[in-house]
Each structure stands twice: as C-alpha cells, then as structure tokens.
Amino acid sequence: MKNLQKIAVLTSGGDSPGMNAAIRAVVRNAAYSGLVCDGIYRGYQGLIENDFIELGPRDVKNTINRGGTFLKSARSKDFMTKEGRQKAFNNLQARRIDALVVIGGDGTFTGASVFSSEFDIPVIGIPGTIDNDINGTDYTIGYDTALNTVVEAIDKIRDTASSHDRLFLVEVMGRDAGDIALNSGIGAGAEEILIPEENLGIERLIESLEKSRKTGKTSSIVVVSEGDQIGKNITNVADSIQTQLPDYEVKVTVLGHIQRGGSPSCFDRVLASRLGVGAVDALIEGKSNIMVGISHKKIVHVPFETAINVKKIIDTDLIRVADIVST
Ligand code: F6P
C-alpha cells in the first residue's frame, strides 16, 4: 500500500447512538498517529457530491455524548451505480485521500466491499447499527443504548398494562434480526417474545397467554420484533389474540424511531471509542476490506464478506432463559 497520510471517515445507513463517539475516536487517533483526517457529510452520497470537511481533534469536542451523527447519514442510491462509485473515487483522489473508514451496517459494508474491490483504496468498516445484526462482532454501536431505551419505554407501558389489566403488544426494531426484541424482552420482563429467528406460530402464543392468565397473570407484555412473521404484522397478531382471548383488552404500541435516538450509553461510548481507534490502527497496519469488531472483549478484524454474508446466529440459551423467567 502507498504511504498513508490522509484518511476520511463517513457514517452511512440508519444512524445509531455512539456514531459520534466513533467519528471522534477516528479523528483523534488519526491526529495521534500523524495523519490528516477529513469527514464526509451524508455518507456515500456526500462522497459522490464532494461534501468534505477537514476534522482536527478540537472539531470533535463535545460530541461523545450526542446521539445521531453530526456528519449526517444517508442511504445512497447513486453509490449503487458504477458511475456513482467512479465519482466517489475521483473525489477521494482529488483530495489525496489514501484510505476510508465507514461507520454503518450491512448495507454500508456491502457498498464498501464493492468499492474497494473496484478501486485501489483501503476501506475499513466500523459496525454502527442498533440492530446488532452484523456477523463477527458481539456488539454493534448503538445497540446497548437502544436496548435501554426500549426497556425504559416498556417499564412505562407496564404501569398501564397492570393498572388496567391489559395485554400490550410492543413492536421493536431490528429489521430481520431478533436481538433487540429478545434482550429487551428479557430485561423488561416480557411474557412472550416474538422474533424472526424462531417462528412459534400464533396458536402456541395464544395457548401460552391463556395458560398464564389461568395461573393468575392479569396483564401481559408481548415484545414483537418488527421482522417477525407470525400473522405478517403486529395488528393481525393483536386481532387474533383479541378474538381468541376476549377477556383481555389488547393494545398495540410501535416504539419506532425513539429507539434510534438519545445520548449513547457508557457501553456504546467505550465500544465506539475502541472501534474508532482500532479502525485507524488497522489502516496503519496495512489492512483493507475488513470490519473492526469486538469478540470476547478483544478487537477483531473480520473480512467484509464474513460480516455481510454469514447470518449472525441468535443465542438459543437466551431463548431458553426468556421461556423460564416468564413462567
Ligand atoms: O437498521 C436500523 C433500523 O432502525 C432498523 O431497525 C429498521 O428496520 C430500519 O433501520 C428503519 O429504517 P428507516 O429509518 O430508514 O425507516
């Protein structure tokens, strides 16, 4: 690889709490290591539209505690075209940028992988998404904060559920991964947790709710992952329960984008700081086309191919724990 002097960093895809802390760590490790660092606004779209800003250590002050991403984010359709990627590469060359750090999820890494195979530029990925659905890293940036947000919201919903003897279905994000639902469900004491990785079927759900009503439960919380396929959507599930268990008053709450916002937890700030520093270290070591992740508390390098194309396995022990603690 040619001599590394200048790098650039961007955030892409859905924002997640802790992305700012990751940018900050990239910028500061760049300065610490004698490199110049540019920020790119609006992800790959800003890269194509030449929307850069030079960032020094003081430019990222007071960002560690802020949710969202001050570099802004986008899901760029233009970057999916060869023409768009060519423009992006031309802009990097014109600014003499030697390497790129991209912070985002699987869509971001897919774009990065194609880009670095087409052009001679090292790219390192940092996993930033609330979904925790990237293979090869135990945690993604923003997941812990989102879990805490969900648990706080469900604690509040529980007050009404128990005061009115109601059954609440609470839909959480996660795209086609059930990590948010499973972990927040255990943490919030949910009666049942519906995740895409485990299709229990509506009959089993109703049987279980009926049984727990008979054993003295007067209210219930069911956490439903947005990717779960039972009934196709949460309203259909609610309708089925209401018809078959008429004694319950069934309510639906969709938590939505509240889960993506807010000040990052300490866990996410530390994770983002480690991964941001790790990404620049990896570039200095001459690495490319990899994600910097965390596994068993250690920084690991995972090829983009493995991070994107291998499905992350849900922890079946957690499913067992959820079943036991909800009896
Ligand atoms: O990937 C993060 C995520 O919040 C998913 O959980 C969700 O399915 C999706 O993004 C929502 O995307 P948008 O904000 O574009 O509607």
Side-chain angles (χ1 to χ4, degrees):
M1 191 184 76
K2 58 185 179 233
N3 195 13
L4 187 68
Q5 292 181 342
K6 187 173 180 184
I7 67 169
V9 58
L10 60 80
T11 47
S12 159
D15 65 315
S16 68
M19 278 184 162
N20 284 323
I23 299 166
R24 172 179 177 270
V26 169
V27 169
R28 291 197 171 162
N29 193 15
Y32 177 85
S33 307
L35 305 173
V36 176
C37 185
D38 275 1
I40 303 166
Y41 285 112
R42 296 175 296 114
Y44 294 126
Q45 198 57 34
L47 178 55
I48 293 168
E49 293 171 12
N50 212 6
D51 202 359
F52 289 73
I53 180 173
E54 189 172 323
L55 294 173
R58 295 288 72 73
D59 297 316
V60 288
K61 69 181 179 200
N62 299 334
T63 58
I64 193 163
N65 54 328
R66 283 171 50 195
T69 159
F70 79 90
L71 283 179
K72 299 184 185 286
S73 193
R75 303 191 200 272
S76 172
K77 293 234 170 358
D78 292 341
F79 198 70
M80 292 177 185
T81 67
K82 177 84 202 256
E83 196 193 351
R85 293 192 294 274
Q86 182 67 58
K87 276 190 195 159
F89 182 66
N90 295 348
N91 290 336
L92 289 171
Q93 277 208 310
R95 292 182 77 92
R96 297 182 181 283
I97 291 166
D98 305 311
L100 195 57
V101 176
V102 297
I103 306 168
D106 58 351
T108 305
F109 295 168
T110 303
S113 177
V114 173
F115 189 57
S116 78
S117 67
E118 283 173 347
F119 301 100
D120 180 25
I121 179 133
V123 185
I124 303 287
I126 297 178
T129 163
I130 63 165
D131 299 339
N132 204 36
D133 59 348
I134 308 287
N135 186 54
T137 186
D138 292 343
Y139 300 105
T140 57
I141 297 167
Y143 170 61
D144 181 68
T145 308
L147 284 183
N148 287 307
T149 303
V150 172
V151 167
E152 198 184 329
I154 296 179
D155 285 351
K156 289 182 174 145
I157 290 169
R158 176 181 291 283
D159 290 346
T160 300
S162 69
S163 302
H164 287 262
D165 289 342
R166 287 176 180 168
L167 186 151
F168 270 86
L169 297 177
V170 183
E171 184 182 285
V172 299
M173 281 186 170
R175 208 185 293 272
D176 52 6
D179 283 50
I180 295 180
L182 184 54
N183 283 273
S184 68
I186 293 173
E191 177 73 37
E192 284 287 340
I193 304 167
L194 307 184
I195 54 173
E197 293 87 346
E198 191 205 29
N199 192 343
L200 292 181
I202 194 85
E203 289 75 26
R204 235 275 299 126
L205 172 67
I206 288 167
E207 250 170 50
S208 154
L209 293 171
E210 207 167 13
K211 190 172 151 211
S212 54
R213 196 163 169 93
K214 283 190 185 137
T215 58
K217 286 197 185 179
T218 54
S219 64
S220 280
I221 308 271
V222 177
V223 175
V224 184
S225 177
E226 65 176 348
D228 186 72
Q229 289 307 307
I230 296 187
K232 300 284 176 239
N233 66 51
I234 195 167
T235 316
N236 291 341
V237 178
D239 290 347
S240 295
I241 298 174
Q242 190 64 85
T243 311
Q244 297 193 54
L245 300 177
D247 289 346
Y248 258 132
E249 191 182 349
V250 182
K251 295 278 178 187
V252 169
T253 302
V254 177
L255 291 184
H257 287 82
I258 190 174
Q259 296 161 91
R260 288 239 296 262
S263 180
S265 65
C266 182
F267 180 91
D268 275 328
R269 296 180 199 195
V270 174
L271 175 67
S273 300
R274 291 187 70 188
L275 296 179
V277 167
V280 177
D281 286 348
L283 283 175
I284 292 168
E285 287 165 25
K287 299 279 166 47
S288 176
N289 234 340
I290 54 145
M291 169 188 81
V292 176
I294 198 110
S295 177
H296 300 97
K297 297 188 181 162
K298 295 270 179 260
I299 292 286
V300 288
H301 294 169
V302 182
F304 279 141
E305 288 292 301
T306 315
I308 306 160
N309 295 332
V310 182
K311 179 120 180 78
K312 193 172 187 181
I313 312 247
I314 199 91
D315 186 344
T316 47
D317 188 47
L318 276 183
I319 297 180
R320 180 173 169 270
V321 168
D323 284 344
I324 293 172
V325 297
S326 63
T327 46

